[in-house]
Amino acid sequence: MNVTDASAARAAAVASTIDRIRAIEGEMGVTRPALEKIRAELLALAAQEHLFPSHVFPPPEAGAKGANRYLLQEDADNRFALYLNALNPGNRTKPHDHTTWAVVVAVEGQELNKVYARTDDGSDPERCAIHVAEEIMVEPGRGICLMPEDIHSIHTTGDVPTRHLHMYGLALEKLEDRKGYDEETGAVTLYNKAFMKPTAQPKA
């Protein structure tokens, strides 16, 4: 398959998947059962690894921190945005929310997700009390569903770079009110907006 055919096949598969995801949300709303159905659609897409080869979606240079984030599709109104994130092992984020729903699945590699529970009442917008309630390894065949208020952190493990599909109800650069949460100090701050923007273009 040549580059043009591969790109067209990928675009068609992504578009078809997002059509079904859009229909799921339209029928069921933003609920955990809906996100589970969306995860199933994304797992089926991620299983087509040939559509997302590492030479087209490479991570940053060996040992470099941060992600190469590739935008695969986004609606004209910035909804239903799908990205491929490529990271090297050894990356991590601070606990954060999304303010929109999110589903993450793996094409390749492992990403440990720590999901946090709040034990405070949320009355102070600048303070929190959180603890790890669950750990989920996102790897081929397994993904994670996050409601808008859910708090998680990611930790890339293993010895190979990750290529993971990240699906959001609203494009990352439109999420103005995301918060970061410090488990040790309890500080609540705006989450780094620079982390939200696509950073790379697929290679030919």
Side-chain angles (χ1 to χ4, degrees), residues 181-194:
Y181 301 83
D182 193 304
E183 187 177 12
E184 294 183 0
T185 68
V188 178
T189 57
L190 283 175
Y191 197 58
N192 182 9
K193 283 193 67 178

Side-chain angles (χ1 to χ4, degrees), residues 136-152:
I136 299 172
M137 183 66 77
V138 175
E139 56 192 351
R142 191 178 187 195
I144 186 171
C145 304
L146 297 162
M147 292 288 281
E149 68 276 10
D150 287 345
I151 300 169
H152 81 137

Side-chain angles (χ1 to χ4, degrees), residues 23-93:
I24 290 168
E25 196 212 69
E27 177 183 351
M28 301 180 65
V30 180
T31 63
R32 294 197 187 276
L35 296 190
E36 290 171 5
K37 286 182 175 291
I38 290 171
R39 177 175 57 191
E41 293 289 349
L42 289 172
L43 285 171
L45 179 62
Q48 301 177 71
E49 185 177 353
H50 66 282
L51 296 177
F52 308 101
S54 59
H55 69 273
V56 176
F57 299 98
E61 294 183 5
K65 298 296 184 181
N68 280 352
R69 176 174 290 105
Y70 303 90
L71 177 63
L72 298 177
Q73 184 175 309
E74 176 184 336
D75 282 9
D77 60 358
N78 305 120
R79 298 217 56 222
F80 300 100
L82 178 63
Y83 307 84
L84 186 145
N85 276 12
L87 292 85
N88 292 313
N91 276 271
R92 60 179 295 172
T93 67

Side-chain angles (χ1 to χ4, degrees), residues 69 92-98 152-154 172 175-181 188-196:
R69 176 174 290 105
R92 60 179 295 172
T93 67
K94 70 185 300 182
H96 60 275
D97 61 23
H98 292 106
H152 81 137
S153 62
I154 65 172
L172 285 171
L175 305 181
E176 301 287 346
D177 298 320
R178 294 177 78 189
K179 299 293 192 301
Y181 301 83
V188 178
T189 57
L190 283 175
Y191 197 58
N192 182 9
K193 283 193 67 178
F195 181 76
M196 305 178 195

Side-chain angles (χ1 to χ4, degrees), residues 159-178:
D159 55 7
V160 299
T162 66
R163 278 173 290 133
H164 288 187
L165 300 179
H166 288 234
M167 181 87 214
Y168 298 92
L170 185 65
L172 285 171
E173 61 268 25
K174 298 299 181 180
L175 305 181
E176 301 287 346
D177 298 320
R178 294 177 78 189

